[in-house]
Amino acid sequence: MKYLVHLLLFVLLSNGSVTASNPQESADVIIYGGTSAAVTAAVQVIRMNKSVIIVSPDKHLGGLSSGGLGFTDTGDKSVIGGLAREFYHRIYLHYQEPASWNWQKQSEYGNKGQGTPAMDGNERTMWIFEPHVAEQVFEDFVKENRIRIYREEWLDRDKGVIKKNNRITGIKTLSGKTFTGKMFIDATYEGDLMAAAGVKYRVGREANSEFGEKYNGVQIDVLHHGHYFEKPVNAYKKEGDPASGLLPLISPDPPGKQGEGDKRVQAYCFRLCLTDHPENRVAIEKPAGYDSSQYELLVRVFKTGWTGVFNKFDPIPNHKTDVNNHGPFSMDYIGMNYDYPDASYEKRKEIIAAHETYQKGLLYFITNSMRVPADIRERMSKWGLSRDEFKDNGNWPHQLYIREARRMNGLRIMTENEVLGNKVVTQPVGMGSYTLDSHNTQRYVQSDGTVQNEGDVQAHISKPYQIEYGAIIPKKGECENLLVPVCVSSTHIAYGSIRMEPVFMILGQSAATAAVQAIDGKKAVQDVDYEMLKKQLLKDKQKI
């Protein structure tokens, strides 16, 4: 009988997910979230000989890394180390197998990445990939390390965090399960565990004056990257007639003054995996709730001569593409996510559904409306959803791109000054290098009656920067055993650079390392010996 019990336990752990009758489970480290950071954190805990449980509200692992963002935002790849680099190495190994190229020959793939080749033979890494390939790499990490995962377990945000003496002792999920541990890591895009634990956080944009920044706050005088109305487009239903009312998706509110703070959140979208391969293509269908009037503004943009619909159909292997927002009216559902960070689960589901309807409707409109220029309509008709991606979700991505939600108000706050190298970081646990990147936050009416977008910033960074350890931990008076590697402590505009998937993987590993050292030293995370932490990070090939 004892042998059978051990065999059953081995089978459960090997499958990478657990269904338990026991309502309480324990481990040294409890990780809440199913993102790329959650997986790298869990692997690091195991490799440091501690026990771990991932409590994931998601069914699928990897967040955006497996949810459509296959054209990786990397910046300077030389600062990506540790488990993050191992992830991209495993992607490389996958695409070295001839069987991986089922819709396209490897020799036909253009090898285009963001400024560098997608496939780096010298470094044996690959930065561009299909969603299902990324998900399989994460699942392989879980299986190889026998990581316990409870999927589709949602934190009880009202009364699900149990604290004693300023430490979390356990968390409860809506299903009634309790997970107890010594250390906790919030690896969600939303920061739900952090917030429920009473840790203070920020939502929206800080005024430039608060931290001496330039690119934070309202940016009505900054027009970057082509994501704005370059030619005049009237905002009213009847052109030139304010009494006729605004076209859909234009805010009636004033945009605010240059540089002042607000509670607006940069736009979300789904990163779509489309294909033009006939055998793998699923036709774009009219979504339930489709309303063609929602795209009237796009018709007016076309009339100005704009033709950039396909400028962010970035190629990934096997005749597929990672589709991102581009231009004045595109995949971003601008202004429709302000409530998301603090919203209930039910309200978030409504917001996510609205984004799905908007983007499906946009694809259908461009493909079918006779008001779309014929050449664009014809080209769009050759694209469809990829039949072999997101099979259990109608070939639609399972993860909305939550570019920004809550940001912890932690022990240290990363600002654009640290990112741009104007302020020294003293205890680095990882590095970033991507552009200061914020998508638009609002679409408003200018004084002349024309429409404009606001909030898009693309500010160049001259060299990689370090990320403070204090940015992934709360203030000691709020919680002593929580680390937050995704909703890090930063200003809106600094987060615009930090918020890249490779960085989340890096910070997930670093958070786990600190958690284990805090356990071994019987310390609060704020009291971890940084020199010991640094030594372990370097040993594990992190770049700091």
Side-chain angles (χ1 to χ4, degrees), residues 391-411:
K391 293 180 181 179
D392 63 349
N393 197 42
N395 309 116
W396 191 260
H398 43 69
Q399 176 67 59
L400 181 64
Y401 196 172
I402 308 302
R403 288 189 171 91
E404 182 178 13
R406 300 182 179 105
R407 303 184 309 281
M408 179 170 60
N409 195 13
L411 188 63

Side-chain angles (χ1 to χ4, degrees), residues 102-365:
N102 52 342
W103 302 114
Q104 181 182 40
K105 293 180 181 179
Q106 183 177 355
S107 60
E108 297 174 351
Y109 176 60
N111 204 28
K112 175 189 174 185
Q114 290 209 40
T116 58
M119 194 180 306
D120 187 335
N122 293 330
E123 294 290 330
R124 292 175 60 78
T125 52
M126 187 164 178
W127 308 93
I128 312 298
F129 46 83
E130 299 160 276
H132 76 272
V133 174
E135 185 171 2
Q136 187 57 56
V137 171
F138 290 121
E139 292 290 354
D140 289 345
F141 272 134
V142 166
K143 185 176 181 180
E144 292 164 15
N145 293 279
R146 299 182 184 178
I147 295 168
R148 286 183 285 170
I149 297 186
Y150 291 78
R151 302 176 196 251
E152 299 183 277
E153 288 288 344
W154 297 79
L155 176 69
D156 182 341
R157 291 160 58 188
D158 294 325
K159 50 187 177 181
V161 177
I162 307 159
K163 290 181 75 175
K164 183 179 180 180
N165 297 330
N166 212 30
R167 286 177 174 249
I168 304 170
T169 59
I171 62 172
K172 294 180 180 179
T173 59
L174 294 177
S175 71
K177 293 184 179 65
T178 300
F179 300 90
T180 60
K182 299 172 184 175
M183 290 285 153
F184 292 79
I185 296 175
D186 185 338
T188 63
Y189 291 122
E190 295 83 4
D192 283 342
L193 174 55
M194 170 191 72
V199 173
K200 292 183 173 61
Y201 58 88
R202 297 165 177 263
V203 174
R205 302 183 286 187
E206 293 84 2
N208 279 331
S209 59
E210 184 172 355
F211 294 100
E213 296 176 299
K214 177 181 179 181
Y215 295 112
N216 210 339
V218 175
Q219 297 287 317
I220 52 176
D221 292 339
V222 178
L223 298 173
H224 284 161
H225 216 239
H227 300 321
Y228 62 96
F229 291 82
E230 298 184 54
K231 295 182 179 180
V233 172
N234 195 267
Y236 299 106
K237 292 178 181 177
K238 184 177 179 181
E239 294 198 40
D241 182 8
S244 66
L246 292 170
L247 289 175
L249 308 181
I250 301 175
S251 171
D253 299 326
K257 296 179 181 179
Q258 179 71 17
E260 71 179 9
D262 61 20
K263 295 300 181 182
R264 298 182 177 102
V265 179
Q266 63 174 303
Y268 301 164
C269 70
F270 286 94
R271 296 289 287 254
L272 304 180
C273 184
L274 303 185
T275 182
D276 61 354
H277 195 289
E279 294 179 45
N280 195 36
R281 185 178 65 220
V282 176
I284 303 297
E285 296 183 353
K286 182 191 297 184
Y290 174 73
D291 178 3
S292 63
S293 70
Q294 297 296 299
Y295 312 104
E296 179 65 30
L297 193 55
L298 179 59
V299 173
R300 294 189 185 180
V301 173
F302 284 140
K303 288 179 178 179
T304 69
W306 183 76
T307 59
V309 172
F310 303 98
N311 284 12
K312 283 301 292 179
F313 276 49
D314 292 314
I316 62 176
N318 284 311
H319 273 291
K320 297 176 186 176
T321 185
D322 169 358
V323 177
N324 196 7
N325 181 78
H326 181 77
F329 190 102
S330 183
M331 298 294 161
D332 281 356
Y333 200 24
I334 298 172
M336 303 301 166
N337 60 342
Y338 298 159
D339 294 338
Y340 184 89
D342 283 316
S344 66
Y345 291 138
E346 292 74 18
K347 179 63 177 178
R348 285 182 186 165
K349 287 178 182 178
E350 292 176 9
I351 294 170
I352 292 168
H355 278 71
E356 181 174 341
T357 298
Y358 167 76
Q359 278 186 262
K360 284 182 174 179
L362 178 62
L363 294 173
Y364 182 82
F365 182 83

Side-chain angles (χ1 to χ4, degrees), residues 60-78:
H60 297 275
L61 293 179
L64 254 295
S65 284
S66 60
L69 205 168
F71 197 77
T72 307
D73 298 319
T74 52
D76 186 336
K77 298 173 180 62
S78 69

